[in-house]
Each structure stands twice: as C-alpha cells, then as structure tokens.
Amino acid sequence: MSVSTANEEEVANIESFDVIFHATPVGSKLASEDPYMFPIEKICAKHIVFDMVTALETTLTKMAQAKGAIAISGLRMLLFQALEQFQLFTEHEPPREAMEKALYAEFK
C-alpha cells in the first residue's frame, strides 16, 4: 500500500480513497467555515475520516457520521498525545480514564 498526497484531480474524486485526513483549521473556532479543500459531500460509508481539528464535533465529522463513515475527532489525537507525554515526563502509567473524562468535559 502506498501513501501519497493527492493532487487536485484526485481530490475531486475522493470516492477512490479509504481514509481521509483533514489537517487545516477549517471547522475550528479560529477559522471561518471556509470551504474544505475537498468535496465533503462525496464522503460515503466506506470512508474513515480523521479531522485533526480539536473540537468535539465539526461540520466534517457530523457529515461523515451522517453518511455512515467512521469519524475520528481531533480530540482523540490530543488525548493520545497527552497520555504519551504523561508517561514520558512522569514515568508512570497515565490515568487514561480521568484524563479522557477531563478532556471531553472541557470541550462540551
């Protein structure tokens, strides 16, 4: 399996992708709801959509879920970064449940 960055022609045909990573600020509190750089309306149930915006939900994750795709919030990335950093800095097992609960409480 090869991994590459799509060109404009490929992006217009996202149906051929299995996994979609969104790594722009579109959908965050700091950015306007500018159009996404790919046609989000073409997301379908076969896709796994990872939106790196650290928010509980974005337009992208809501649309992906509505279309039956797997949607992963940027909060998951933030959580796992925090767990790894806790382990590195303290040399103790991180309290995952407590950290996850605190993170999601902050974003509700």
Side-chain angles (χ1 to χ4, degrees), residues 9-18 20 38-44 46-47:
E9 186 177 311
E10 290 171 323
V11 169
N13 186 23
I14 68 166
E15 296 93 342
S16 65
F17 293 100
D18 295 318
I20 300 168
F38 59 94
I40 66 173
E41 67 280 353
K42 291 186 177 182
I43 291 172
C44 63
K46 79 167 204 154
H47 289 123

Side-chain angles (χ1 to χ4, degrees), residues 46-100:
K46 79 167 204 154
H47 289 123
I48 298 170
V49 179
F50 179 43
D51 191 350
M52 293 178 68
V53 171
T54 52
L56 195 54
E57 286 188 316
T58 63
T59 300
L60 179 58
T61 58
K62 286 189 253 183
M63 175 164 296
Q65 289 172 342
K67 300 264 188 144
I70 295 171
I72 304 167
S73 161
L75 290 184
R76 301 299 299 164
M77 177 187 62
L78 194 62
L79 173 64
F80 283 93
Q81 286 175 337
L83 293 170
E84 185 66 23
Q85 289 172 357
F86 185 97
Q87 176 73 39
L88 287 170
F89 286 109
T90 67
E91 298 182 356
H92 294 283
E93 190 68 28
R96 179 180 171 167
E97 191 174 305
M99 290 173 72
E100 188 168 10

